[in-house]
Amino acid sequence: MARRRSNILRDLYEIGGMLPWWMTAPLALGTYALLHQYAVSDPVVAADPGDALGTLLPNVLREVAVYAQYIVPWLMVVGMLSAVLRRATRAQLLASPPEERQPEERQPGDSSGPACPRCKGRMLRRTAKRGENAGNDFWGCSRFPACHGTREIETEESYALSA
């Protein structure tokens, strides 16, 4: 499978989400301090008018730092907060009694599709994206990835006859 193209903004968000909060917060503050120091520095002025091209890159980087001093730490903090919320939600789910985590049983006469062979939950019509069945439809459990139950889709005529 091809890896999705990297994006610096997405990478900064993911860095904030992967690191523990107690590492991400100081890293974001340090990033802000470093970029702010560079953003408020004096522009580089060429001593010789013919050397104006040599001052272009430092001045462009200084202008980029003006915006990056806010954007980079913000992305890291948002990634950190989303990871903290995900972990808290997961911990709350795991703390609940197992009987509350069981899927609801299907009611007789529910025509939304067959019952999952593993958890008896609702199944959804899905399309295989890879493998030898790529492009073919199948029934997949609505609780995926927690449940990996699948079924073949019967032809429309045989499914209509069996219902």
Side-chain angles (χ1 to χ4, degrees):
M1 183 171 138
R3 179 165 150 67
R4 66 179 178 200
R5 290 177 40 192
S6 181
N7 180 343
I8 187 73
L9 299 177
R10 179 179 294 148
D11 291 343
L12 289 168
Y13 174 83
E14 289 176 358
I15 287 170
M18 285 189 288
L19 293 174
W21 71 268
W22 51 269
M23 288 177 73
T24 303
L27 182 63
L29 285 172
T31 304
Y32 170 78
L34 182 70
L35 290 171
H36 180 73
Q37 186 76 22
Y38 195 66
V40 298
S41 65
D42 293 330
V44 178
V45 179
D48 179 24
D51 192 33
L53 219 75
T55 63
L56 182 64
L57 183 62
N59 286 329
V60 168
L61 290 177
R62 190 178 138 280
E63 291 299 318
V64 168
V66 168
Y67 299 104
Q69 68 180 335
Y70 302 112
I71 295 171
V72 171
W74 181 79
L75 283 170
M76 293 173 76
V77 168
V78 168
M80 174 190 71
L81 292 175
S82 69
V84 167
L85 288 174
R86 271 195 314 267
R87 289 180 195 127
T89 304
R90 187 178 306 129
Q92 183 181 12
L93 177 65
L94 293 175
S96 66
E99 56 272 1
E100 290 180 15
R101 288 186 261 156
Q102 293 297 324
E104 295 180 14
E105 292 292 321
R106 293 175 45 85
Q107 300 299 321
D110 186 5
S111 62
S112 62
C116 176
R118 289 182 150 185
C119 70
K120 306 297 183 224
R122 187 170 58 102
M123 296 193 86
L124 303 172
R125 189 179 191 122
R126 301 182 186 268
T127 303
K129 293 183 175 66
R130 55 189 138 143
E132 64 182 38
N133 292 320
N136 295 336
D137 289 344
F138 66 97
W139 291 110
C141 185
S142 61
R143 295 186 60 237
F144 180 83
C147 177
H148 288 268
T150 61
R151 279 192 171 175
E152 288 185 23
I153 291 186
E154 302 170 5
T155 61
E156 297 298 325
E157 298 84 8
S158 64
Y159 186 70
L161 292 174
S162 66

